[in-house]
Each structure stands twice: as structure tokens, then as C-alpha cells.
Amino acid sequence: MADYVIIGAGVFGVSTALYLATSEPNAKIVLIDRSSSPYPSAASSDLNRIIRADYSDIFYMRLALKAIEKWNTDPLYNPHFHKTGMLFAEEIGMGRASFNNYIEIGADPGAQIFTVDQARQEFPVFAKSNWKDVADDMYYNPCSGWADADPSMRAAAGAALAAGVEYIQGTVERLLFKDDGNNQDVCVGVKTADGDEIRGKKILLCTGAWTAKLIADSAPQNTKLQVNGRMVAAAATCCMVRCAPEQLSLYRDAPVHFLGMHHTHGESIPPNAEGILKFNYEVSFTNVEHHEASGQTLSIPPVHASQTTWSQRVPEQLKQKVRTVVDHVYGKNAPGLTFDSYRMCWDAVTPNQDWIISSHPACEGLYLAGGGSFHSFKFLPILGQYVARMLNNQLTPEEKDRWAWDRPNVGAACEMYIPQNDLKDFV
Ligand SMILES: Cc1cc2nc3c(=O)[nH]c(=O)nc-3n(C[C@H](O)[C@H](O)[C@H](O)COP(=O)(O)OP(=O)(O)OC[C@H]3O[C@@H](n4cnc5c(N)ncnc54)[C@H](O)[C@@H]3O)c2cc1C
């Protein structure tokens, strides 16, 4: 029997497996996912992810500063981190709040406030950006940047395996409960689609956007167990844009750019070594379905890979939205850029964007880690430590309250990411 069975090899699962393997070297740790890490439909699998500590919530700022320290110094993560800086043009006050938070906690990342004119002078690459209605001044942090997502995940998963974690490739069909399933108050393991049973003392779900469905499939009639909106599968739309080699010098030194205005809500991540840029349109949406066995209405990521991975099969409306982000960052018909592919990327969103890092109050042996608001990747180097502390009942009272399964859901790390539409609205 394993000490820990972790389902899901995204940032939560991999970071936890690695931390447990190094902090409890004698523990038997099993990590299960549908393919070798990272699974292409996972939120943690992508071309890149933004790494920043600019949070309007000091709690997450402090955590992100710890993570960035690792992105800068840990040889596991540092080769994948690109410290390009990040520029904010927005009307929601996130930049100014972050600037003030750094002063409050006595950290000095060298962040600056610019007027729109100063920002255009400082970053000529954004000469044609649509900064209409920037409500406050612009905000720039030179310590932020982006990471190559898949290579970072592979590095962390490789380190976990080297430290003794057993990796099992398989789809978990359902949770196993005590007394041959008769006692759903105690979780004892999981059963895969191949019929294998993997048993453990602590079963940790790091299943991201698929969490509500897995629990509903496992115990459809048990109302106490259901996720009930605590984690909702939601997607944002991304596009990859290829830059012609002769134009690469135009974009190569651009910082990450965040546009948070009513006319544009998205992000731009500068080119990688292959000259590929990425853009996100961040107004998220659900994919609501009727879950027959439990009678619930659940948001569940679509089963077709073309709706969860890079493809051309993204609804035209969404393609247009994300193309608008490109236009509003670099101007219409920016030289050298060609649209390559698109993706609907599914993550688990929590109502107030705090993570759930908690035992399940209605099921002994069952634990969960995930959620947030499209912001968890940057914490890859440190997340596992907090999940491990939860598993061993060592979270601080504040962490425990914030990340509890049941909580008031007040405040928000990033309010704008609550889904506003459903995929059906676009097809
Ligand atoms: C478009 C978009 C942009 C984002 N940008 C950023 C960013 O710039 N910076 C940042 O910090 N964060 C960002 N995020 C957020 C971040 O990527 C996610 O919050 C994080 O990756 C979620 O990790 P996870 O481990 O919870 O889930 P996932 O990475 O989705 O992992 C869940 C894993 O569980 C597995 N799984 C699920 N069910 C089963 C089952 N039944 N059997 C076996 N395996 C199963 C899946 O295969 C998957 O590998 C973004 C998210 C999105 C969607």
C-alpha cells in the first residue's frame, strides 16, 4: 500500500510528489496521470506561462516572491525562466495595488509607474498598442517574465521520479471506498480504466478541471462528497503566432504585456527561441453538461482533444477575440506575424480564486489540491511544500482557512477570471 496516491501530474500533483519524495524519503508515493507528464490537455501543459509576483492580494504576492526566488536560483527551474519584465495597461488597479503592496511588505523589485507616454517611449515595440482608457498610470516590473511551461513540468516530474516517485500511466475511473465501496466516508484508493486498483493511506486529487466529474463518477448519489461549484472547469482562449525570422528583432526584447481593459482582456508573451509568441484572451467560459448518474449540472472539459489542445478547431468567435488581443498589443497587421494555432485551455476556477488545499471533510483519506484563477503555474517550485503541510495537518491557521473546502469565499486574488459564458454560446 502506498503512503500517498496522487492523481494528476499538473503543477499541483508534480510539485507535491517532488516535495514529498525529498521531505519524506521513506514514503511510497504514487503519481498517476493519463500520459507522461505533462498531459497535453492539462492546464499545466503549454508553450509558456507568465511568472510574476504582482498581486493585489499580499498573501499571494508573498508566495509568488518565494516562487520567483526559485525560478531565479534553482537549477531545476532557472533554465526555463525568462526574466523579460512585465508591463500592465489596465483599468482595474492591479498594477498600482501591486506597487503599493511591494512598498508595504518592504520588497523592492524595481517596479515602476509610467505615464502612457513614458511607457511608449520606454517600449517602442508597443507604439501601436491600444491603451485607450488606461485608467491609472502604467505599471512595469522588471523582475517578472515567463517560463517554458512543458520543459519546466518535465524537469520537475523527472526530479520527482529520480527521487523515488512511482509514475503510473492510466486514467482513474473512480475512487475506491472502504468496505468494498459500502462506506463512502473513507477513501482507500483508486481504480483505473484498465481495472487496476491502486490503494493508499492518503489519496490526493490534483485533477484540475476534471475534479468535479471524477467525484461525481465515483459517488454519484453521495451529496456530501460533491464539488458543488467549489471548483468549476473553465477555459480561456490562446493563440500561437509565428514570427518571420527577419522581423524577430522587433519583438524579441518585448516584456510580457497584460491588457486589462473593457475593450481588451488578455496577455501577450514574447517570442521563444523558435520565434513563437503566445496570446491569451482571458474572458473565460464553462462547458456545462448534465451528469446523468448524479443528476448534477457540471462544467466538464470537452472530451475531444481538439477542444483542449492546440488545433484549428476553436470556435470562430473565440479566434476573433484572441486575434483582437494581438491587434491591441502590437497594432493591426503587425509586421512578420502569422497566426499558427489556437487552444481552449481548461483550468479549475474557484469562486474567490483561493486554492483548495484541503482534506475532504466528508471523506477520511481523501484530499484535494487545485483551483485558483488561472494563476497557479508560477507556484510550481513551491506549491508542493504547502500541499505536503496540508496532508500532514501543518498549515498555518490563515492557510487552512484560505484553502479550506468549506469557506466563506470572500475576497479574490483576481476577480476577473470568473467564467462569464459557456462554450455553447460560441458554437
Ligand atoms: C489559458 C490559461 C493561461 C494561464 N496562464 C497562466 C500564467 O501565465 N501563469 C500562471 O501562473 N498560471 C497560469 N494559468 C494557470 C495554471 O496553468 C493552472 O492553474 C495550473 O496549471 C493548474 O494546474 P493543476 O495541476 O491544477 O491542473 P492541470 O495542469 O490541468 O493538471 C490536472 C491533471 O490531472 C489529470 N487528470 C485529471 N483527471 C484524471 C483522471 N481521471 N485520471 C488520471 N489523470 C487525471 C490530467 O490529465 C492533468 O494532467 C493559466 C491557465 C490557463 C487555462
Side-chain angles (χ1 to χ4, degrees):
M1 172 175 314
D3 294 291
Y4 301 100
V5 176
I6 303 171
I7 303 107
V11 280
F12 281 91
V14 165
S15 186
T16 305
L18 176 55
Y19 187 80
L20 286 172
T22 43
S23 60
E24 299 180 36
N26 296 323
K28 180 172 162 54
I29 302 152
V30 175
L31 177 62
I32 310 174
D33 207 312
R34 298 181 272 207
S35 74
S36 55
S37 175
Y39 179 64
S41 299
S44 307
S45 169
D46 208 334
L47 184 68
N48 48 36
R49 285 284 181 258
I50 298 167
I51 309 296
R52 59 170 168 91
D54 311 298
Y55 274 90
S56 48
D57 184 332
I58 284 184
F59 178 83
Y60 286 100
M61 174 177 271
R62 287 188 198 280
L63 289 177
L65 282 170
K66 287 184 191 168
I68 287 188
E69 173 71 18
K70 292 253 184 193
W71 284 107
N72 276 310
T73 56
D74 189 327
L76 194 60
Y77 303 108
N78 177 258
H80 312 295
F81 178 47
H82 308 269
K83 194 170 147 184
T84 56
M86 181 167 177
L87 180 70
F88 288 58
E90 36 104 14
E91 58 185 3
I92 50 182
M94 202 170 148
R96 176 67 70 171
S98 302
F99 189 80
N100 292 340
N101 283 349
Y102 283 121
I103 294 170
E104 192 175 331
I105 67 172
D108 182 12
Q112 285 173 275
I113 297 285
F114 292 122
T115 63
V116 165
D117 288 343
Q118 283 169 336
R120 286 211 203 274
Q121 266 173 22
E122 196 76 23
F123 304 102
V125 68
F126 298 133
K128 294 186 178 161
S129 306
N130 183 353
W131 292 340
K132 184 172 175 297
D133 299 330
V134 169
D136 204 347
D137 291 329
M138 313 266 297
Y139 168 80
Y140 174 69
N141 185 343
C143 290
S144 306
W146 58 277
D148 301 293
D150 283 359
S152 313
M153 288 302 298
R154 277 197 288 272
L161 267 57
V165 170
E166 182 188 349
Y167 192 88
I168 295 181
Q169 191 172 324
T171 299
V172 169
E173 207 170 60
R174 62 185 177 85
L175 304 173
L176 294 172
F177 299 102
K178 203 177 166 191
D179 299 338
D180 291 331
N182 291 318
N183 180 358
Q184 294 186 344
D185 293 346
V186 184
C187 182
V188 293
V190 296
K191 185 170 185 176
T192 69
D194 293 337
D196 296 329
E197 294 193 352
I198 299 137
R199 290 174 185 267
K201 294 178 192 155
K202 295 185 178 180
I203 313 301
L204 174 67
L205 298 189
C206 296
T207 38
W210 294 269
T211 307
K213 180 173 187 304
L214 179 58
I215 292 181
D217 287 347
S218 303
Q221 300 305 319
N222 187 337
T223 49
K224 289 184 301 182
L225 242 59
Q226 305 307 315
V227 169
N228 276 340
R230 291 174 178 89
M231 289 168 115
V232 175
T237 315
C238 322
C239 77
M240 279 200 215
V241 171
R242 209 168 277 282
C243 180
E246 64 278 11
Q247 300 286 2
L248 204 50
S249 57
L250 272 179
Y251 307 97
R252 202 169 18 219
D253 299 326
V256 173
H257 189 23
F258 170 65
L259 283 170
M261 282 168 290
H262 58 279
H263 56 76
T264 337
H265 198 112
E267 290 154 345
S268 142
I269 301 170
N272 66 5
E274 282 77 49
I276 302 176
L277 299 84
K278 202 187 81 187
F279 297 81
N280 298 324
Y281 168 64
E282 296 230 290
V283 178
S284 73
F285 52 91
T286 52
N287 182 46
V288 169
E289 290 179 13
H290 179 65
H291 186 267
E292 197 153 336
S294 66
Q296 297 175 86
T297 300
L298 293 180
S299 178
I300 300 171
V303 287
H304 296 294
S306 63
Q307 291 181 299
T308 55
T309 56
W310 291 102
S311 76
Q312 292 300 327
R313 290 194 53 203
V314 168
E316 194 50 43
Q317 262 195 70
L318 291 173
K319 284 184 179 174
Q320 274 172 20
K321 295 274 190 199
V322 72
R323 286 199 290 251
T324 306
V325 177
V326 182
D327 291 349
H328 287 197
V329 172
Y330 289 120
K332 246 183 172 353
N333 304 318
L337 301 186
T338 11
F339 290 94
D340 183 290
S341 49
Y342 299 82
R343 180 175 177 203
M344 292 181 269
C345 180
W346 296 86
D347 199 0
V349 174
T350 42
N352 73 338
Q353 288 92 39
D354 277 324
W355 297 316
I356 289 178
I357 300 181
S358 175
S359 55
H360 196 306
C363 190
E364 197 185 315
L366 183 61
Y367 302 81
L368 300 102
S373 61
F374 297 90
H375 74 115
S376 309
F377 188 90
K378 64 183 70 65
F379 300 98
L380 169 67
I382 62 155
L383 258 181
Q385 183 180 351
Y386 295 89
V387 181
R389 275 167 38 186
M390 177 277 292
L391 290 165
N392 291 304
N393 205 13
Q394 290 169 349
L395 289 179
T396 65
E398 183 184 14
E399 290 161 358
K400 206 169 169 174
D401 288 350
R402 281 236 179 200
W403 299 334
W405 176 257
D406 287 318
R407 60 196 191 202
N409 279 322
V410 290
C414 233
E415 278 154 23
M416 60 220 171
Y417 295 114
I418 296 290
Q420 296 178 11
N421 293 96
D422 191 79
L423 180 55
K424 288 168 212 62
D425 301 333
F426 303 113
V427 289

